[in-house]
Amino acid sequence: MAFDADAHTEALHRDGYTVIEDFCDADTLTAIRRGLAPHMEQHRGRNDFEGFATERVYTLVARGKVFEKVTEDPRLLAILDRFLQPGYLLSASQAICIYPGESAQAVHTDDGFYRLKRPRPPASMSLIAAVDDFTQDNGCTEVIPGSHLWSDEEVAALKPSDLPGLLKPMVMPAGAAIVFQATLLHRGGANRSQAPRQAFTNQYCEPWGRTQENFFLGVPQTLVKTMSPRLQRLLGYDIWPPFMGHVTASHPLKTLEAGYVPPVLVDRVGD
């Protein structure tokens, strides 16, 4: 069946989120689990938001070809093209494993740090894909449908006692993914089960926005050189017209050429 980007776009405008039921097939899930295995059971979150019983693997896009593949999935990009300006960037890429006993996250948005007055269009878009089945007991993502349209005043007026009647648990099978406007209020749920709940998330921002992860430093250029042109652009190796993102007046792709020497090191004086 052909992918219906129009239907997903309609749901995103109406509810703030949509679900791609078959985002990852069985082979992709197997490759993802294999790629994540070496990083599991190594460290937990450093604060209540990261989750003291939650494990996160950052800069996921650079940890295997399968993670490159899902980051530039054409179905996802077809949706993002409807909401973000050309030249949008990958802002964050991480795996999130919620272990038994983890409490629910605070309700939050994913692009609130841009400090733009609400209501407004999203400055970024998010995807959360289920690597394990998402259930109400194991910490599935919970969203407040329609909250992407709320004003700052409506968000500030939200009380903890309001949440039970507003939050919708995103119960979905492994391989499904929720895509949402980053203005949507949501949280990771509490894991009351006896098993961990694994997922991964990619976030994408407007080309004028500062990314959450600094991929220029986090992804070695030796790896960037092996990536697709589309993924290189998502990591920032491109120009947002007329010249945003240039490297000493040159296109950033020039830095990937063999023998490239930064102009600031040529004929440097005073050393």
Side-chain angles (χ1 to χ4, degrees):
M1 182 181 297
F3 183 71
D4 191 347
D6 290 336
H8 288 288
T9 299
E10 181 180 351
L12 277 158
H13 281 302
R14 181 185 65 243
D15 303 320
Y17 71 93
T18 189
V19 175
I20 303 176
E21 298 286 353
D22 58 348
F23 185 70
C24 295
D25 60 21
D27 290 342
T28 300
L29 284 174
T30 297
I32 288 172
R33 293 184 180 113
R34 186 184 303 120
L36 290 176
H39 308 292
M40 294 295 97
E41 299 290 352
Q42 293 189 20
H43 59 82
R44 304 293 173 95
R46 297 160 292 186
N47 52 59
D48 189 57
F49 184 80
E50 279 190 313
F52 294 115
T54 296
E55 191 155 31
R56 294 172 185 262
V57 181
Y58 291 98
T59 320
L60 191 65
V61 63
R63 296 181 185 269
K65 285 296 182 182
V66 67
F67 302 117
E68 296 179 24
K69 173 187 171 183
V70 296
T71 299
E72 59 175 345
D73 184 283
R75 297 166 297 173
L76 173 62
L77 298 187
I79 294 173
L80 300 183
D81 289 346
R82 315 286 184 96
F83 289 88
L84 301 175
Q85 297 179 61
Y88 55 83
L89 302 168
L90 181 67
S91 178
S93 178
Q94 59 184 275
I96 304 173
C97 187
I98 299 179
Y99 289 98
E102 181 63 277
S103 59
Q105 260 188 329
V107 171
H108 63 280
T109 64
D110 279 350
D111 70 354
F113 42 77
Y114 288 119
R115 303 176 187 176
L116 301 170
K117 186 173 177 58
R118 299 173 58 110
R120 58 172 172 79
S124 65
M125 299 284 290
S126 298
L127 171 140
I128 299 175
V131 178
D132 297 318
D133 292 343
F134 274 27
T135 72
Q136 288 187 264
D137 290 330
N138 74 357
C140 72
T141 301
E142 300 172 340
V143 304
I144 300 181
S147 59
H148 63 301
L149 301 174
W150 289 8
S151 66
D152 287 325
E153 292 73 23
E154 289 172 298
V155 173
L158 182 66
K159 302 186 294 293
S161 59
D162 298 328
L163 296 179
L166 294 173
L167 285 167
K168 178 180 179 179
M170 299 307 301
V171 175
M172 56 188 188
I178 176 176
V179 180
F180 55 96
Q181 296 194 42
T183 48
L184 185 77
L185 290 165
H186 66 284
R187 71 180 185 183
N191 190 341
R192 298 179 293 272
S193 75
Q194 301 303 308
R197 186 232 72 182
Q198 183 66 269
F200 69 86
T201 180
N202 286 325
Q203 298 178 26
Y204 305 78
C205 69
E206 292 282 21
W208 47 259
R210 181 167 181 167
T211 59
Q212 295 179 52
E213 294 193 61
N214 188 327
F215 293 115
F216 291 120
L217 298 179
V219 184
Q221 286 195 331
T222 53
L223 279 179
V224 176
K225 291 177 182 180
T226 69
M227 295 176 173
S228 72
R230 187 69 181 90
L231 194 53
Q232 290 173 346
R233 293 196 297 274
L234 285 170
L235 292 178
Y237 288 82
D238 201 1
I239 293 292
W240 190 46
F243 50 72
M244 297 293 288
H246 72 82
V247 180
T248 320
S250 293
H251 195 286
L253 282 176
K254 190 176 184 64
T255 68
L256 301 179
E257 295 177 357
Y260 174 79
V261 178
V264 297
L265 295 181
V266 179
D267 299 324
R268 178 178 163 87
V269 297
D271 292 335

